[in-house]
Amino acid sequence: MKVILNKDLAHLGEEGDVKDVARGYARNYLFPRGIALPYTPRTVKLFEARKGDIEAKKAQKRQDALGLKERLESLELSITMPAGANGRLYGAVTSQTIADELAKQSFQIERKRIDIAGTGIKNVGKYKATIRLYENSSAEIQVVIIGQEIKTESPQAPARPVRRRRDNAEAAPATEAAAEPAAEAPAPVEAAAPAETPAEVTPEN
């Protein structure tokens, strides 16, 4: 279905642009929100009358993009990331990472407008990123990745059970003593039999 945009829409176009969209998308989203109007002879005439206004807005956007380009290209964006001793990052710096860092400095840039080489930056160093602004205008910014080394502590050996060994050492003599057979008790000494008393001799008469 052919429509004329009544407002700028980031992923679709600018005010006054003629676009082909799905009928359901137009009726359920664009028309109820006033973002677009049906493409008819009446709406074409309406936008022809607004053409001067629309071009003035576009000229202002070009001027704003030029000022933003100068501000961005004078910026050196520093990003600190966890890294190993060899400079390899734990993770990667992506367009979303750069968009978040720019937001901290009051630059509202959509991540889709930020282009970096490959799937992301994975090592410390200096890099360049391209930011698409308005129409064919773009800015190239300097990105410095600083590594923050994470030191991991080696696990300590468990404490030696000194007390347990000492207790065992103290218990050892007692155990050995218990293991030794008891000394034989001396045999009982029998009492000596009393000497026989000689019988008395009765003198004969």
Side-chain angles (χ1 to χ4, degrees):
M1 180 179 186
K2 190 176 285 188
V3 300
I4 301 179
L5 293 182
N6 194 39
K7 297 178 182 178
D8 294 352
L9 191 60
H11 65 276
L12 192 57
E14 296 181 274
E15 181 183 3
D17 290 351
V18 177
K19 298 290 180 179
D20 278 316
V21 298
R23 188 176 296 275
Y25 179 54
R27 289 183 174 178
N28 297 328
Y29 184 80
L30 298 178
F31 295 163
R33 290 167 176 75
I35 297 172
L37 298 173
Y39 183 84
T40 64
R42 180 175 174 276
T43 53
V44 169
K45 287 182 181 179
L46 176 64
F47 278 91
E48 283 292 332
R50 292 169 53 185
K51 188 174 181 179
D53 240 4
I54 292 170
E55 287 301 324
K57 289 179 182 178
K58 289 184 177 182
Q60 184 60 50
K61 290 175 187 176
R62 293 185 191 102
Q63 189 64 34
D64 292 344
L66 182 61
L68 181 57
K69 175 183 171 74
E70 291 176 355
R71 289 169 58 205
L72 286 170
E73 291 188 342
S74 66
L75 174 71
E76 185 177 81
L77 196 65
S78 295
I79 302 175
T80 301
M81 295 284 290
N86 60 353
R88 183 79 172 175
L89 302 182
Y90 293 119
V93 174
T94 64
S95 56
Q96 184 61 60
T97 312
I98 294 174
D100 293 341
E101 290 297 323
L102 287 170
K104 293 176 184 178
Q105 302 192 35
S106 302
F107 291 99
Q108 301 302 322
I109 308 290
E110 294 178 350
R111 66 175 183 82
K112 294 179 180 179
R113 293 182 174 271
I114 302 172
D115 296 327
I116 53 178
T119 56
I121 300 169
K122 299 180 180 179
N123 290 282
V124 299
K126 291 186 177 182
Y127 299 87
K128 291 181 180 180
T130 302
I131 300 176
R132 289 176 278 109
L133 301 174
Y134 181 67
E135 294 180 335
N136 295 326
S137 179
S138 63
E140 192 172 74
I141 64 171
Q142 303 291 326
V143 181
V144 180
I145 309 301
I146 302 168
Q148 184 178 43
E149 188 175 346
I150 298 178
K151 296 181 179 178
T152 56
E153 295 183 359
S154 57
Q156 294 182 352
R160 299 174 64 187
V162 177
R163 184 173 181 179
R164 182 178 296 176
R165 288 208 306 272
R166 184 167 61 244
D167 292 345
N168 291 343
E170 290 174 355
T175 305
E176 291 174 2
E180 291 180 0
E184 294 183 2
V189 179
E190 295 182 1
E196 293 184 2
T197 305
E200 293 182 4
V201 180
T202 303
E204 295 180 356
N205 292 331

